[in-house]
Amino acid sequence: MPRVVFLLVPEFHLLDLSGPAQVFSAAADLGHDYRLSYVAERPEVPSAQGVTVRADVDWPELDADDLVVVPGWRAPTLAGRGHLSAQTLRRLAAHHEAGGTVASVCAGADALGRAGLLDGRRCTTHHALQEELARRYPRATVVRDVLYVVDDGVVTSAGIASGIDLALHLVAVRHGPGVAGRVARGMVVYARRNGDEQQTSVMLRHRSHLCDAVHRAQDVIDARYTERLKLAELAAACGVSERTLTRLFTKATGMTPLRYQQALRVERAEHLIGQGATVEAAARAVGFQDARMLRRLRSRAA
């Protein structure tokens, strides 16, 4: 059961904390066990919005599967804000050194910098703080105009709401994009493209809509993409006619249900080929009868 530990600093932003916490809590509701913990250097931590949150002053035992998240705080500038003791900063560095993941939202990147975790790595923060972060940590490469950056177990995100995107990414990495898509849909948020690198997941790339019938159809296709699925079966699962499903699906995703299934198959086949499988073996593994259709679809996408 992985643990997610939020390290709270006085005047932290509520959404920096609650957004990622909601993502992991929603993933737990889907059966993916997470234990959420909140630690700080004092038992009561005031937020920038006036709500005081209770936290543990003693850290739980952590292992390499666990995640530590540092929410951001009110920071017109980074200098002189977000105080953390040397002992706490050593804890952050030690968790990463032991193989764990350390993440930050907004100004929380400054805590990672003070812990030495940004040196030699790519990172980001709120757009208003990027120049100062670059000056404070010249050995880091600050990436502009992205929602989050992942570099060797150090994950940094930009402004306040991007903490949700960061958490969805981590859920997708651990449990697959289908689970992240369900969490995003339950929270009524868009699974946004990062901008730092191409969004390679077909599931997430075509989930940025609010049509429940289409999401239900995608849930079926995502789970059974290797099978021959009849449009009538999909429509029945969604409670609409075949014609209505095709119209709604195309409007929401830009492709028909069949094209969506083919895109999932091609994406999985590309992964298998990258792992050393032959085109023929990959084609059979994803549901094609032979390699001819896979070759045709790959050439079309090239």
Side-chain angles (χ1 to χ4, degrees), residues 85-166:
S85 68
Q87 180 182 6
T88 298
L89 296 176
R90 285 195 296 270
R91 277 187 175 273
L92 287 175
H95 178 60
H96 180 265
E97 186 176 351
T101 300
V102 179
S104 66
V105 183
C106 199
D110 189 64
L112 275 55
R114 282 178 269 150
L117 294 175
L118 300 185
D119 292 349
R121 294 190 173 93
R122 298 162 66 254
C123 60
T124 194
T125 188
H126 190 281
H127 62 84
L129 301 173
Q130 289 172 351
E131 296 301 328
E132 185 180 3
L133 188 73
R135 290 194 302 270
R136 287 170 65 81
Y137 307 104
R139 295 179 59 190
T141 300
V142 178
V143 183
R144 276 76 171 174
D145 301 322
V146 296
L147 295 174
Y148 58 85
V149 174
V150 182
D151 193 332
D152 186 30
V154 175
V155 190
T156 51
S157 66
I160 296 171
S162 65
I164 296 173
D165 300 281
L166 176 151

Side-chain angles (χ1 to χ4, degrees), residues 175-200:
H175 305 294
V179 174
R182 290 181 65 190
V183 171
R185 182 155 62 104
M187 293 176 61
V188 198
V189 298
Y190 288 99
R192 294 185 289 182
R193 186 170 177 168
N194 182 28
D196 177 32
E197 53 191 63
Q198 184 178 2
Q199 174 55 264
T200 57

Side-chain angles (χ1 to χ4, degrees), residues 1 32 42 51 59 63 81 95 115 140 168 212 215 237 249 274:
M1 183 184 297
H32 303 281
R42 61 173 75 176
V51 176
W59 285 54
D63 60 33
R81 299 278 182 155
H95 178 60
L168 286 171
D212 191 62
H215 279 301
F249 204 104

Side-chain angles (χ1 to χ4, degrees), residues 201-209 215 218 252-253 255 260:
S201 166
V202 173
M203 291 185 191
L204 284 185
R205 191 161 66 239
H206 297 288
R207 288 282 190 164
S208 297
H209 62 83
H215 279 301
Q218 287 177 290
T253 69
M255 59 176 64
Y260 178 75

